[in-house]
Amino acid sequence: MSYSAQNIRNVCLLGHGGNGKTSLAESMLYSTGGTDRLGKVPDGNTVCDFDPEEIRRQISLSTAVAPIEYKGCKINVLDTPGYFDFSGEVMEALRVADSAVIVCSAKGGMSVGAEKAWKYCEARKLPRILYISKTDEENSDYNSAFETLRDRFGKNVAPVVAPIWDENKKVIGIIDVLNKRAYDIEGGKRHEIPIPDNKKDVVEELYTALVESVAETSEELMERYFNGEEFTYAEMIQGLHTGVKELSIFPVVCGSALSGLGTQMLLDNIVNLLPNPLEGPAEMGEDDHGEMVEFAVSPGAVPAAFVWKTVSDQYGKYSYVKVVSGTIEADMPMVNARTGNPEKLGRLYLIKGKKTEEVKKLSCGDIGAIGKMDKVRTGDTLCDARNVVKLEGIRFPEPCYSVAILPKTKGQEDKIASGLTRLNEEDQTFNWVNNAETHQMVVSGTGDMQMDVILSRLKSRFGVDAELTEPRVPYREKIRKKVEVQGRHKKQTGGHGQFGDVWMRFEPGEQEELEFCEEVVGGSVPKNYFPAVEKGLREAVTKGVLAGYPVVNLKATLFDGSYHPVDSSEMAFKTAVQIAYKTGMPQASPVLLEPIGELKVTIPDNYMGDIIGDLNKRRGRVMGMNPDHEGNQIVEAEVPMAEMTRYAIDLRSMTQGRGSFVFHFVRYEEAPPAAQEKAIAEAKAMAGEE
């Protein structure tokens, strides 16, 4: 069945891992007849967690789509992962959602995940509902959870549902404040019950608070409120809808996904209070002249769709899209705004977890998928040739955690590379490079859990066993003294011998690259051997004498030598200068240089002491601190790269996941003696293994 944009709601479920988002999506599907049984995460049979890795780990790793049909509306539920390593999936869902449901547990109070979800919504001005989950479980405390939300997010947090609990504080029913009706749940079915006497005053109080919130949404309603007029139910709904859309009201609902308590009320509030795709702000995009233009979401306009996610599996590649204007149909010719190339659309599908259902068209505001679009990637805009606009892409978090990856069986490097390329189509939060200097393949991403999932998927999908190690630090070597040395290579064999003799001066140079000069007088070394001497040096400086790292800032001058008219050759002079290099460099006071990076850590104020103390342990130099006007401090420091390999994980544990950072290389600096000794010992141990 095709829905008009007014009857579509695109809602993403946000919140901390383990707070019940996937179970809530399952409950919404089951209670509306979308599934014939209630799947459970521990049983591995939910609609949204279908990937073998998700089933094994019992957590969501990627955003899943669960379309729900309810009261003439289609609700596209986007179930996002709660663990921070998979925040890229959350960014994808936020990019196409028109509203959010932030899921908070009645057991744990305010979680970091809910705080982050709120910040994401604030940044995007996204209307939202707060859902307090697990209200019927042991040790749950609705009141405490609600008070925490109100303290954290302010008085605009408005309960539209009140729980009913027994003498043991266990929630046994809920009250719909707007309709002043109470319900309990039996066998998954909702039954109306009388409002308990001890709850009548509470309901009146909550209803009055809602009326006040509605009155504040327009001057006309405010005037009527002061005149003592009552609002009709339709006016209450309209007022709340406006308040939610304008971000002045944040309704709170509660329930239990397992019993189904509160699920129907949440669905009612999604349909009645959350905006449809046409009510959101206009999209911003870049036209073919490179200028930013507004792109209105409109069913009557020329077709355009935004690719927000890519899935590659053994059955092929799916590009998940949100239709932002017009209607798209299978085989329709379109243009990829990123490349400017024409694209013919493949087959169109509606997605429900891992199941796909082929459809002829997708209408404005809806979410679906296009099959086999090989040249299309996440973040692309597919447009009609008459109006090519490149919509704003998805801002993924910058990779901050790097590991070296290598196959357990030698010779499978190419298999790893092609597997990573395929996985990267799905997950753009990681990247990988072959580091020619350290001879390692280095993968950078958001954290250790993401890396673990990449390893598992390389094995299950591409049949390659890989392991992770710490990436090597690309040190450098330089000299601090001037030395003059002779390099002499003489070898007598039958027939022609080999003879090369050079006198070299090695000294610290101004530029990073090797600076080669010659001051030979009187032809003691013929000019035609100069290139061989320089070539021999260029080969030699790739390995320093301390730990085999490249040598920088070296000035090498050939100032004397001798030759043999018969036995001298280019090879002999090349060997002679390398002998001079090996003899002279240890005498020139060599030193190890280490890479230094610029670090910017964003943390809440109360973690400042811990972070500064930790940076001092890492040999960091704090350069300054600036507030970011959101209650956080940005600490700027310079830290040696060698001390930063596990910083992403350490920062997360020091700040309970509230801290974030960016780190970029700036320059090389002389390493202190202790760090030099450690690096030299590691290099020798590695050379011994090889």
Side-chain angles (χ1 to χ4, degrees), residues 401-444:
Y401 177 71
S402 297
V403 287
I405 186 167
L406 64 157
K408 287 184 180 174
T409 312
K410 277 198 170 173
Q412 293 201 313
E413 285 82 3
D414 287 351
K415 250 183 152 180
I416 288 183
S418 66
L420 288 174
T421 305
R422 287 283 302 279
L423 291 175
N424 199 211
E425 286 182 356
E426 290 187 27
D427 181 1
Q428 292 185 8
T429 59
F430 80 87
N431 57 43
W432 59 280
V433 290
N434 259 321
N435 190 320
E437 199 172 302
T438 59
H439 307 295
Q440 286 183 315
M441 194 183 283
V442 177
V443 185
S444 302

mmCIF file of all heavy atoms in Angstrom, residues 401-444:
data_model
loop_
_atom_site.group_PDB
_atom_site.id
_atom_site.type_symbol
_atom_site.label_atom_id
_atom_site.label_comp_id
_atom_site.label_asym_id
_atom_site.label_seq_id
_atom_site.Cartn_x
_atom_site.Cartn_y
_atom_site.Cartn_z
ATOM 1 N N TYR A 401 40.834 5.749 16.299
ATOM 2 C CA TYR A 401 41.471 4.564 16.894
ATOM 3 C C TYR A 401 42.067 3.736 15.765
ATOM 4 O O TYR A 401 41.354 3.366 14.832
ATOM 5 C CB TYR A 401 40.417 3.756 17.660
ATOM 6 C CG TYR A 401 40.923 2.465 18.263
ATOM 7 C CD1 TYR A 401 41.791 2.482 19.349
ATOM 8 C CD2 TYR A 401 40.533 1.227 17.745
ATOM 9 C CE1 TYR A 401 42.257 1.295 19.907
ATOM 10 C CE2 TYR A 401 40.989 0.039 18.305
ATOM 11 C CZ TYR A 401 41.853 0.079 19.383
ATOM 12 O OH TYR A 401 42.310 -1.089 19.931
ATOM 13 N N SER A 402 43.376 3.503 15.816
ATOM 14 C CA SER A 402 44.045 2.797 14.709
ATOM 15 C C SER A 402 44.694 1.503 15.177
ATOM 16 O O SER A 402 45.272 1.446 16.264
ATOM 17 C CB SER A 402 45.126 3.691 14.081
ATOM 18 O OG SER A 402 44.533 4.824 13.514
ATOM 19 N N VAL A 403 44.597 0.480 14.330
ATOM 20 C CA VAL A 403 45.256 -0.804 14.597
ATOM 21 C C VAL A 403 45.856 -1.319 13.293
ATOM 22 O O VAL A 403 45.390 -0.963 12.211
ATOM 23 C CB VAL A 403 44.267 -1.868 15.146
ATOM 24 C CG1 VAL A 403 43.874 -1.585 16.564
ATOM 25 C CG2 VAL A 403 43.043 -1.995 14.259
ATOM 26 N N ALA A 404 46.884 -2.135 13.437
ATOM 27 C CA ALA A 404 47.452 -2.788 12.247
ATOM 28 C C ALA A 404 46.742 -4.125 12.079
ATOM 29 O O ALA A 404 46.467 -4.817 13.061
ATOM 30 C CB ALA A 404 48.937 -2.994 12.437
ATOM 31 N N ILE A 405 46.413 -4.470 10.844
ATOM 32 C CA ILE A 405 45.709 -5.732 10.576
ATOM 33 C C ILE A 405 46.583 -6.590 9.673
ATOM 34 O O ILE A 405 47.197 -6.085 8.731
ATOM 35 C CB ILE A 405 44.319 -5.451 9.944
ATOM 36 C CG1 ILE A 405 43.500 -6.731 9.797
ATOM 37 C CG2 ILE A 405 44.429 -4.743 8.602
ATOM 38 C CD1 ILE A 405 42.030 -6.478 9.470
ATOM 39 N N LEU A 406 46.681 -7.864 10.001
ATOM 40 C CA LEU A 406 47.492 -8.760 9.162
ATOM 41 C C LEU A 406 46.845 -10.136 9.121
ATOM 42 O O LEU A 406 46.150 -10.538 10.066
ATOM 43 C CB LEU A 406 48.924 -8.850 9.679
ATOM 44 C CG LEU A 406 49.190 -9.463 11.057
ATOM 45 C CD1 LEU A 406 50.628 -9.975 11.127
ATOM 46 C CD2 LEU A 406 48.983 -8.456 12.165
ATOM 47 N N PRO A 407 47.028 -10.853 8.004
ATOM 48 C CA PRO A 407 46.398 -12.173 7.903
ATOM 49 C C PRO A 407 47.127 -13.193 8.767
ATOM 50 O O PRO A 407 48.339 -13.090 8.968
ATOM 51 C CB PRO A 407 46.546 -12.514 6.412
ATOM 52 C CG PRO A 407 47.724 -11.727 5.954
ATOM 53 C CD PRO A 407 47.801 -10.505 6.806
ATOM 54 N N LYS A 408 46.377 -14.173 9.280
ATOM 55 C CA LYS A 408 47.027 -15.239 10.058
ATOM 56 C C LYS A 408 47.813 -16.157 9.129
ATOM 57 O O LYS A 408 48.779 -16.784 9.529
ATOM 58 C CB LYS A 408 45.972 -16.031 10.839
ATOM 59 C CG LYS A 408 45.407 -15.240 12.012
ATOM 60 C CD LYS A 408 44.439 -16.083 12.837
ATOM 61 C CE LYS A 408 43.889 -15.269 14.007
ATOM 62 N NZ LYS A 408 42.849 -15.976 14.736
ATOM 63 N N THR A 409 47.364 -16.241 7.868
ATOM 64 C CA THR A 409 48.091 -17.036 6.866
ATOM 65 C C THR A 409 48.760 -16.085 5.894
ATOM 66 O O THR A 409 48.093 -15.225 5.314
ATOM 67 C CB THR A 409 47.101 -17.938 6.078
ATOM 68 O OG1 THR A 409 46.263 -18.599 7.010
ATOM 69 C CG2 THR A 409 47.834 -18.925 5.210
ATOM 70 N N LYS A 410 50.054 -16.222 5.724
ATOM 71 C CA LYS A 410 50.777 -15.295 4.841
ATOM 72 C C LYS A 410 50.236 -15.370 3.415
ATOM 73 O O LYS A 410 49.789 -16.405 2.963
ATOM 74 C CB LYS A 410 52.272 -15.614 4.845
ATOM 75 C CG LYS A 410 52.996 -14.991 6.017
ATOM 76 C CD LYS A 410 54.494 -14.938 5.809
ATOM 77 C CE LYS A 410 55.108 -14.070 6.905
ATOM 78 N NZ LYS A 410 56.548 -14.084 6.880
ATOM 79 N N GLY A 411 50.285 -14.201 2.746
ATOM 80 C CA GLY A 411 49.871 -14.179 1.345
ATOM 81 C C GLY A 411 48.414 -13.828 1.141
ATOM 82 O O GLY A 411 47.924 -13.796 0.015
ATOM 83 N N GLN A 412 47.677 -13.582 2.263
ATOM 84 C CA GLN A 412 46.246 -13.258 2.109
ATOM 85 C C GLN A 412 45.965 -11.757 2.256
ATOM 86 O O GLN A 412 44.829 -11.339 2.479
ATOM 87 C CB GLN A 412 45.420 -14.044 3.133
ATOM 88 C CG GLN A 412 45.436 -15.547 2.871
ATOM 89 C CD GLN A 412 44.265 -16.243 3.531
ATOM 90 O OE1 GLN A 412 43.975 -16.014 4.694
ATOM 91 N NE2 GLN A 412 43.578 -17.101 2.790
ATOM 92 N N GLU A 413 47.027 -10.943 2.104
ATOM 93 C CA GLU A 413 46.868 -9.486 2.241
ATOM 94 C C GLU A 413 45.854 -8.933 1.240
ATOM 95 O O GLU A 413 45.048 -8.065 1.581
ATOM 96 C CB GLU A 413 48.221 -8.774 2.046
ATOM 97 C CG GLU A 413 49.173 -8.901 3.219
ATOM 98 C CD GLU A 413 49.944 -10.215 3.234
ATOM 99 O OE1 GLU A 413 49.786 -11.038 2.288
ATOM 100 O OE2 GLU A 413 50.704 -10.425 4.179
ATOM 101 N N ASP A 414 45.891 -9.449 0.003
ATOM 102 C CA ASP A 414 44.959 -8.952 -1.024
ATOM 103 C C ASP A 414 43.510 -9.259 -0.659
ATOM 104 O O ASP A 414 42.604 -8.474 -0.929
ATOM 105 C CB ASP A 414 45.276 -9.572 -2.399
ATOM 106 C CG ASP A 414 46.548 -8.979 -2.982
ATOM 107 O OD1 ASP A 414 47.050 -8.000 -2.397
ATOM 108 O OD2 ASP A 414 47.028 -9.489 -4.005
ATOM 109 N N LYS A 415 43.310 -10.430 -0.043
ATOM 110 C CA LYS A 415 41.961 -10.820 0.380
ATOM 111 C C LYS A 415 41.434 -9.857 1.452
ATOM 112 O O LYS A 415 40.266 -9.467 1.442
ATOM 113 C CB LYS A 415 41.997 -12.251 0.951
ATOM 114 C CG LYS A 415 41.300 -13.281 0.056
ATOM 115 C CD LYS A 415 41.315 -14.632 0.736
ATOM 116 C CE LYS A 415 40.111 -15.462 0.282
ATOM 117 N NZ LYS A 415 40.067 -16.773 0.896
ATOM 118 N N ILE A 416 42.334 -9.491 2.382
ATOM 119 C CA ILE A 416 41.945 -8.538 3.430
ATOM 120 C C ILE A 416 41.587 -7.201 2.791
ATOM 121 O O ILE A 416 40.572 -6.593 3.111
ATOM 122 C CB ILE A 416 43.086 -8.343 4.468
ATOM 123 C CG1 ILE A 416 43.228 -9.588 5.335
ATOM 124 C CG2 ILE A 416 42.834 -7.122 5.348
ATOM 125 C CD1 ILE A 416 44.271 -9.487 6.427
ATOM 126 N N ALA A 417 42.426 -6.759 1.851
ATOM 127 C CA ALA A 417 42.207 -5.459 1.209
ATOM 128 C C ALA A 417 40.864 -5.417 0.482
ATOM 129 O O ALA A 417 40.101 -4.453 0.617
ATOM 130 C CB ALA A 417 43.346 -5.153 0.243
ATOM 131 N N SER A 418 40.547 -6.483 -0.271
ATOM 132 C CA SER A 418 39.272 -6.453 -1.012
ATOM 133 C C SER A 418 38.096 -6.572 -0.043
ATOM 134 O O SER A 418 37.046 -5.953 -0.249
ATOM 135 C CB SER A 418 39.222 -7.547 -2.082
ATOM 136 O OG SER A 418 39.210 -8.811 -1.479
ATOM 137 N N GLY A 419 38.260 -7.323 1.048
ATOM 138 C CA GLY A 419 37.200 -7.427 2.061
ATOM 139 C C GLY A 419 36.948 -6.086 2.732
ATOM 140 O O GLY A 419 35.792 -5.669 2.908
ATOM 141 N N LEU A 420 38.033 -5.378 3.086
ATOM 142 C CA LEU A 420 37.883 -4.061 3.723
ATOM 143 C C LEU A 420 37.207 -3.066 2.771
ATOM 144 O O LEU A 420 36.397 -2.248 3.189
ATOM 145 C CB LEU A 420 39.252 -3.515 4.156
ATOM 146 C CG LEU A 420 39.908 -4.207 5.358
ATOM 147 C CD1 LEU A 420 41.309 -3.667 5.591
ATOM 148 C CD2 LEU A 420 39.078 -4.039 6.629
ATOM 149 N N THR A 421 37.543 -3.160 1.487
ATOM 150 C CA THR A 421 36.927 -2.260 0.497
ATOM 151 C C THR A 421 35.417 -2.481 0.464
ATOM 152 O O THR A 421 34.632 -1.524 0.448
ATOM 153 C CB THR A 421 37.532 -2.506 -0.906
ATOM 154 O OG1 THR A 421 38.941 -2.366 -0.814
ATOM 155 C CG2 THR A 421 37.003 -1.525 -1.924
ATOM 156 N N ARG A 422 34.994 -3.739 0.464
ATOM 157 C CA ARG A 422 33.551 -4.048 0.447
ATOM 158 C C ARG A 422 32.870 -3.588 1.740
ATOM 159 O O ARG A 422 31.777 -3.009 1.707
ATOM 160 C CB ARG A 422 33.347 -5.564 0.262
ATOM 161 C CG ARG A 422 33.638 -6.085 -1.131
ATOM 162 C CD ARG A 422 32.524 -5.779 -2.141
ATOM 163 N NE ARG A 422 31.232 -6.330 -1.754
ATOM 164 C CZ ARG A 422 30.868 -7.597 -1.939
ATOM 165 N NH1 ARG A 422 31.698 -8.441 -2.539
ATOM 166 N NH2 ARG A 422 29.677 -8.017 -1.569
ATOM 167 N N LEU A 423 33.527 -3.851 2.882
ATOM 168 C CA LEU A 423 32.929 -3.461 4.166
ATOM 169 C C LEU A 423 32.842 -1.937 4.289
ATOM 170 O O LEU A 423 31.930 -1.402 4.904
ATOM 171 C CB LEU A 423 33.747 -4.031 5.338
ATOM 172 C CG LEU A 423 33.705 -5.553 5.514
ATOM 173 C CD1 LEU A 423 34.642 -5.983 6.626
ATOM 174 C CD2 LEU A 423 32.282 -6.037 5.825
ATOM 175 N N ASN A 424 33.810 -1.254 3.673
ATOM 176 C CA ASN A 424 33.850 0.203 3.725
ATOM 177 C C ASN A 424 32.685 0.839 2.966
ATOM 178 O O ASN A 424 32.289 1.964 3.243
ATOM 179 C CB ASN A 424 35.185 0.672 3.153
ATOM 180 C CG ASN A 424 35.542 2.090 3.571
ATOM 181 O OD1 ASN A 424 36.190 2.806 2.835
ATOM 182 N ND2 ASN A 424 35.127 2.512 4.740
ATOM 183 N N GLU A 425 32.125 0.103 1.985
ATOM 184 C CA GLU A 425 30.928 0.603 1.279
ATOM 185 C C GLU A 425 29.769 0.750 2.265
ATOM 186 O O GLU A 425 28.979 1.678 2.186
ATOM 187 C CB GLU A 425 30.504 -0.383 0.176
ATOM 188 C CG GLU A 425 31.400 -0.365 -1.047
ATOM 189 C CD GLU A 425 30.887 -1.330 -2.120
ATOM 190 O OE1 GLU A 425 29.903 -2.052 -1.870
ATOM 191 O OE2 GLU A 425 31.479 -1.357 -3.210
ATOM 192 N N GLU A 426 29.698 -0.203 3.209
ATOM 193 C CA GLU A 426 28.618 -0.188 4.196
ATOM 194 C C GLU A 426 28.911 0.766 5.345
ATOM 195 O O GLU A 426 28.015 1.396 5.883
ATOM 196 C CB GLU A 426 28.433 -1.594 4.799
ATOM 197 C CG GLU A 426 27.871 -2.595 3.845
ATOM 198 C CD GLU A 426 27.554 -3.914 4.549
ATOM 199 O OE1 GLU A 426 27.281 -3.895 5.757
ATOM 200 O OE2 GLU A 426 27.577 -4.948 3.885
ATOM 201 N N ASP A 427 30.158 0.804 5.758
ATOM 202 C CA ASP A 427 30.530 1.555 6.960
ATOM 203 C C ASP A 427 31.629 2.552 6.618
ATOM 204 O O ASP A 427 32.791 2.192 6.491
ATOM 205 C CB ASP A 427 31.016 0.568 8.038
ATOM 206 C CG ASP A 427 31.396 1.268 9.327
ATOM 207 O OD1 ASP A 427 31.274 2.506 9.390
ATOM 208 O OD2 ASP A 427 31.826 0.584 10.274
ATOM 209 N N GLN A 428 31.233 3.816 6.478
ATOM 210 C CA GLN A 428 32.216 4.833 6.098
ATOM 211 C C GLN A 428 32.912 5.465 7.296
ATOM 212 O O GLN A 428 33.649 6.435 7.151
ATOM 213 C CB GLN A 428 31.542 5.919 5.251
ATOM 214 C CG GLN A 428 31.099 5.400 3.902
ATOM 215 C CD GLN A 428 30.533 6.487 2.997
ATOM 216 O OE1 GLN A 428 30.591 7.664 3.297
ATOM 217 N NE2 GLN A 428 29.972 6.076 1.881
ATOM 218 N N THR A 429 32.694 4.915 8.491
ATOM 219 C CA THR A 429 33.365 5.494 9.667
ATOM 220 C C THR A 429 34.772 4.937 9.846
ATOM 221 O O THR A 429 35.483 5.345 10.743
ATOM 222 C CB THR A 429 32.572 5.227 10.962
ATOM 223 O OG1 THR A 429 32.447 3.809 11.140
ATOM 224 C CG2 THR A 429 31.205 5.858 10.915
ATOM 225 N N PHE A 430 35.171 3.969 9.027
ATOM 226 C CA PHE A 430 36.566 3.510 9.119
ATOM 227 C C PHE A 430 37.247 3.702 7.770
ATOM 228 O O PHE A 430 36.617 3.782 6.726
ATOM 229 C CB PHE A 430 36.655 2.047 9.597
ATOM 230 C CG PHE A 430 36.396 0.992 8.539
ATOM 231 C CD1 PHE A 430 37.432 0.530 7.729
ATOM 232 C CD2 PHE A 430 35.133 0.453 8.353
ATOM 233 C CE1 PHE A 430 37.206 -0.445 6.760
ATOM 234 C CE2 PHE A 430 34.892 -0.520 7.387
ATOM 235 C CZ PHE A 430 35.946 -0.968 6.589
ATOM 236 N N ASN A 431 38.581 3.816 7.815
ATOM 237 C CA ASN A 431 39.356 3.838 6.579
ATOM 238 C C ASN A 431 40.614 3.002 6.792
ATOM 239 O O ASN A 431 40.931 2.626 7.927
ATOM 240 C CB ASN A 431 39.687 5.269 6.138
ATOM 241 C CG ASN A 431 40.431 6.034 7.211
ATOM 242 O OD1 ASN A 431 41.339 5.505 7.857
ATOM 243 N ND2 ASN A 431 40.054 7.285 7.425
ATOM 244 N N TRP A 432 41.287 2.690 5.728
ATOM 245 C CA TRP A 432 42.497 1.866 5.865
ATOM 246 C C TRP A 432 43.526 2.269 4.827
ATOM 247 O O TRP A 432 43.187 2.747 3.745
ATOM 248 C CB TRP A 432 42.167 0.362 5.759
ATOM 249 C CG TRP A 432 41.523 -0.014 4.468
ATOM 250 C CD1 TRP A 432 40.222 0.128 4.123
ATOM 251 C CD2 TRP A 432 42.171 -0.577 3.324
ATOM 252 N NE1 TRP A 432 40.001 -0.309 2.849
ATOM 253 C CE2 TRP A 432 41.178 -0.752 2.335
ATOM 254 C CE3 TRP A 432 43.478 -0.971 3.042
ATOM 255 C CZ2 TRP A 432 41.466 -1.291 1.093
ATOM 256 C CZ3 TRP A 432 43.758 -1.502 1.806
ATOM 257 C CH2 TRP A 432 42.757 -1.662 0.844
ATOM 258 N N VAL A 433 44.805 2.124 5.205
ATOM 259 C CA VAL A 433 45.903 2.461 4.293
ATOM 260 C C VAL A 433 46.994 1.401 4.406
ATOM 261 O O VAL A 433 47.159 0.774 5.448
ATOM 262 C CB VAL A 433 46.543 3.836 4.618
ATOM 263 C CG1 VAL A 433 45.609 4.966 4.297
ATOM 264 C CG2 VAL A 433 46.998 3.916 6.067
ATOM 265 N N ASN A 434 47.730 1.222 3.320
ATOM 266 C CA ASN A 434 48.940 0.414 3.367
ATOM 267 C C ASN A 434 50.083 1.364 3.665
ATOM 268 O O ASN A 434 50.470 2.152 2.808
ATOM 269 C CB ASN A 434 49.172 -0.271 2.010
ATOM 270 C CG ASN A 434 48.741 -1.721 2.064
ATOM 271 O OD1 ASN A 434 48.961 -2.402 3.064
ATOM 272 N ND2 ASN A 434 48.118 -2.193 1.006
ATOM 273 N N ASN A 435 50.600 1.336 4.881
ATOM 274 C CA ASN A 435 51.654 2.267 5.257
ATOM 275 C C ASN A 435 53.002 1.728 4.766
ATOM 276 O O ASN A 435 53.545 0.775 5.318
ATOM 277 C CB ASN A 435 51.660 2.455 6.778
ATOM 278 C CG ASN A 435 52.569 3.576 7.208
ATOM 279 O OD1 ASN A 435 53.666 3.748 6.668
ATOM 280 N ND2 ASN A 435 52.123 4.345 8.175
ATOM 281 N N ALA A 436 53.510 2.351 3.699
ATOM 282 C CA ALA A 436 54.739 1.855 3.064
ATOM 283 C C ALA A 436 55.926 1.959 4.019
ATOM 284 O O ALA A 436 56.861 1.164 3.960
ATOM 285 C CB ALA A 436 55.024 2.670 1.806
ATOM 286 N N GLU A 437 55.873 2.937 4.904
ATOM 287 C CA GLU A 437 57.017 3.168 5.796
ATOM 288 C C GLU A 437 57.123 2.104 6.890
ATOM 289 O O GLU A 437 58.198 1.607 7.183
ATOM 290 C CB GLU A 437 56.818 4.540 6.440
ATOM 291 C CG GLU A 437 58.084 5.096 7.004
ATOM 292 C CD GLU A 437 57.852 6.533 7.438
ATOM 293 O OE1 GLU A 437 57.457 7.364 6.595
ATOM 294 O OE2 GLU A 437 58.038 6.790 8.624
ATOM 295 N N THR A 438 55.971 1.773 7.509
ATOM 296 C CA THR A 438 56.019 0.785 8.602
ATOM 297 C C THR A 438 55.694 -0.625 8.088
ATOM 298 O O THR A 438 55.686 -1.575 8.864
ATOM 299 C CB THR A 438 55.011 1.165 9.711
ATOM 300 O OG1 THR A 438 53.695 1.206 9.133
ATOM 301 C CG2 THR A 438 55.329 2.516 10.309
ATOM 302 N N HIS A 439 55.398 -0.737 6.776
ATOM 303 C CA HIS A 439 55.055 -2.032 6.150
ATOM 304 C C HIS A 439 53.891 -2.701 6.861
ATOM 305 O O HIS A 439 53.911 -3.904 7.116
ATOM 306 C CB HIS A 439 56.276 -2.967 6.128
ATOM 307 C CG HIS A 439 57.473 -2.325 5.515
ATOM 308 N ND1 HIS A 439 57.514 -1.963 4.190
ATOM 309 C CD2 HIS A 439 58.661 -1.943 6.061
ATOM 310 C CE1 HIS A 439 58.683 -1.385 3.939
ATOM 311 N NE2 HIS A 439 59.398 -1.356 5.050
ATOM 312 N N GLN A 440 52.883 -1.896 7.200
ATOM 313 C CA GLN A 440 51.689 -2.445 7.851
ATOM 314 C C GLN A 440 50.436 -1.926 7.150
ATOM 315 O O GLN A 440 50.435 -0.822 6.602
ATOM 316 C CB GLN A 440 51.628 -1.995 9.321
ATOM 317 C CG GLN A 440 52.619 -2.689 10.229
ATOM 318 C CD GLN A 440 52.433 -2.218 11.669
ATOM 319 O OE1 GLN A 440 52.288 -1.032 11.944
ATOM 320 N NE2 GLN A 440 52.444 -3.153 12.598
ATOM 321 N N MET A 441 49.386 -2.754 7.187
ATOM 322 C CA MET A 441 48.071 -2.292 6.753
ATOM 323 C C MET A 441 47.392 -1.762 8.020
ATOM 324 O O MET A 441 47.227 -2.502 8.992
ATOM 325 C CB MET A 441 47.279 -3.465 6.176
ATOM 326 C CG MET A 441 46.052 -3.033 5.406
ATOM 327 S SD MET A 441 45.106 -4.452 4.812
ATOM 328 C CE MET A 441 46.077 -4.976 3.428
ATOM 329 N N VAL A 442 47.057 -0.461 8.029
ATOM 330 C CA VAL A 442 46.521 0.164 9.238
ATOM 331 C C VAL A 442 45.056 0.551 9.007
ATOM 332 O O VAL A 442 44.725 1.237 8.042
ATOM 333 C CB VAL A 442 47.347 1.411 9.630
ATOM 334 C CG1 VAL A 442 46.747 2.096 10.852
ATOM 335 C CG2 VAL A 442 48.798 1.021 9.909
ATOM 336 N N VAL A 443 44.190 0.070 9.907
ATOM 337 C CA VAL A 443 42.755 0.389 9.851
ATOM 338 C C VAL A 443 42.454 1.390 10.958
ATOM 339 O O VAL A 443 42.858 1.181 12.109
ATOM 340 C CB VAL A 443 41.883 -0.874 10.071
ATOM 341 C CG1 VAL A 443 40.412 -0.553 9.882
ATOM 342 C CG2 VAL A 443 42.282 -1.975 9.120
ATOM 343 N N SER A 444 41.761 2.479 10.615
ATOM 344 C CA SER A 444 41.397 3.488 11.614
ATOM 345 C C SER A 444 39.883 3.604 11.672
ATOM 346 O O SER A 444 39.229 3.674 10.635
ATOM 347 C CB SER A 444 41.991 4.844 11.235
ATOM 348 O OG SER A 444 43.389 4.737 11.118
#
